[in-house]
Amino acid sequence: MASTAHSAIWRDGVEPSTTGGTEDIIEFGTGSLVNTGCDITNIGFRIPTGIARNERPGAMDKLQDTGVSGITIDITGVIADPEGVGKDAVKTLKGWAIEAKTVDTTFPKGRFGLRLNDFTGFNMTPNTFKGYLLENVEYTREGETAGKATFVITLRFNGDETNNSTISLGGYYDW
C-alpha cells in the first residue's frame, strides 16, 4: 500500500502494488509513485434519500421515506502536464470510461476501488458483493492555464445490502 500521504482509485480486486507502474491505478498527491502530477482538489459525497410524494387534493401532500436511493462520489482534481508526466493518467481514465464497468464472474457490482487516506469512511475494495461503478469521467482543458487539465470522476456505490460483507452487524456501512 502507498504512503498515507496519498489517495488512489483503482480497477479490479485488491489495490495494486505501487512499487511499479500499472494501468489499473491512479494515485493522487505530491510525490505519487504511479501518477506524478495528479492531485485531488475536492471530493463530494451524496447519500440522498428517496422521498415519495402521495398527492392529496385539497390537503397537504403526504411524504414517505423510501430509503437511501444511492451513494455518489464526485472526485475533482487536476492533472499537471497532461502531455508529459500526466499523460498516463489521462490515458487510464479514458480507458476506464470506455471499457466495461463490471466483470460478471468476479466484480458483478462494480470493479472500482477507492482509498482516501484522510477520509476513510468511503474506502472500498471491490468484490462479488460490492463495488464502485465509474459513472462519468469529465475533463476540462483550461485555456488560461497552459499545461493543466482538470477532471471530475463520478463513482456510484453498488452493493448487496443483505450481505454481511457490505453491512457490518451493527447496521453501519463499514467497507
Side-chain angles (χ1 to χ4, degrees):
M1 196 173 214
S3 163
T4 57
H6 308 298
S7 294
I9 182 173
W10 68 93
R11 183 172 69 172
D12 293 343
V14 177
E15 180 182 353
S17 167
T18 57
T19 58
T22 176
E23 291 183 5
D24 285 326
I25 185 170
I26 296 177
E27 276 201 302
F28 304 98
T30 305
S32 174
L33 297 173
V34 177
N35 301 101
T36 303
C38 296
D39 289 304
I40 294 173
T41 57
N42 189 23
I43 302 177
F45 305 90
R46 290 188 309 277
I47 308 174
T49 297
I51 303 290
R53 188 176 110 199
N54 301 310
E55 295 182 12
R56 296 178 55 206
M60 188 177 290
D61 292 346
K62 293 282 185 177
L63 300 179
Q64 180 181 0
D65 178 0
T66 61
V68 173
S69 63
I71 299 172
T72 303
I73 302 171
D74 291 315
I75 302 170
T76 304
V78 63
I79 298 173
D81 193 12
E83 288 299 312
V85 297
K87 193 171 190 171
D88 286 343
V90 173
K91 178 182 170 189
T92 297
L93 281 173
K94 184 170 62 173
W96 289 353
I98 294 168
E99 295 170 1
K101 311 306 183 271
T102 62
V103 178
D104 290 340
T105 56
T106 52
F107 303 105
K109 302 293 184 179
R111 65 193 289 196
F112 292 89
L114 181 66
R115 184 189 78 236
L116 302 171
N117 292 325
D118 59 349
F119 197 75
T120 61
F122 291 87
N123 288 359
M124 183 175 49
T125 298
N127 61 35
T128 56
F129 302 108
K130 65 186 183 319
Y132 284 123
L133 290 168
L134 180 66
E135 182 176 51
N136 188 52
V137 174
E138 179 181 330
Y139 288 108
T140 302
R141 175 62 183 94
E142 299 180 15
E144 295 292 320
T145 307
K148 177 175 114 172
T150 59
F151 63 85
V152 178
I153 302 168
T154 302
L155 298 174
R156 298 277 311 261
F157 173 77
N158 190 20
D160 181 358
E161 55 276 337
T162 62
N163 184 286
N164 283 337
S165 70
T166 302
I167 301 176
S168 72
L169 296 176
Y172 300 103
Y173 283 85
D174 188 12
W175 313 318

